[in-house]
Amino acid sequence: MDILREGIPGIEIIDCRGFEQYSVESILKGEEIEKELSFGRESADGNEVYCFVIFDGLENELIGRTVSFIKKAVWRRWIFATTTENNLSWKLRDLQKELIEEHNYFETRGDKSD
């Protein structure tokens, strides 16, 4: 996380691990929420865990530069998304599940955007 904070000035980075039961909007607003401890790097079904970056309120140019920086700085399997009026009310875990489904759909079609 430190390399991202140092390499992307002016952007707030929130480590959301343990906040999966809260809405995206609650996390962004910094409401009183408690982290759940999670251990390991695998999901309940044994699949590789993706790293998520969900942008809120950034211009497309900055998002593009940030995505490029993250991909070069930290090698992981990333899923990038932006907030929408609709998904702000979703629990983070539900948004992550939807993003994984979309990612897998496009990956099987051959549209690898990462």
Side-chain angles (χ1 to χ4, degrees), residues 23-109:
S23 74
V24 173
E25 187 172 33
S26 295
I27 295 167
L28 291 172
K29 287 182 176 178
E31 294 178 357
E32 290 295 317
I33 54 180
E34 293 183 26
K35 273 194 174 191
E36 288 182 1
L37 295 178
S38 58
F39 300 98
R41 299 268 319 142
E42 291 190 350
S43 63
D45 62 5
N47 291 331
E48 178 183 352
V49 174
Y50 290 95
C51 294
F52 296 87
V53 176
I54 303 170
F55 298 99
D56 181 58
L58 297 180
E59 297 294 324
N60 287 340
E61 180 189 348
L62 183 54
I63 290 173
R65 289 195 329 253
T66 303
V67 167
S68 294
F69 175 81
I70 290 171
K71 285 180 174 182
K72 290 176 187 171
V74 184
W75 190 90
R76 296 247 170 87
R77 292 198 64 186
W78 294 99
I79 294 180
F80 298 96
T82 59
T83 57
T84 65
E85 188 175 318
N86 183 44
N87 69 22
L88 280 172
S89 63
W90 294 17
K91 288 185 179 180
L92 181 59
R93 76 168 51 101
D94 296 333
L95 178 57
Q96 290 172 324
K97 182 180 176 185
E98 177 70 18
L99 293 172
I100 289 170
E101 288 175 11
E102 288 178 8
H103 179 80
N104 290 340
Y105 170 78
F106 286 110
E107 207 168 55
T108 59
R109 284 189 46 213

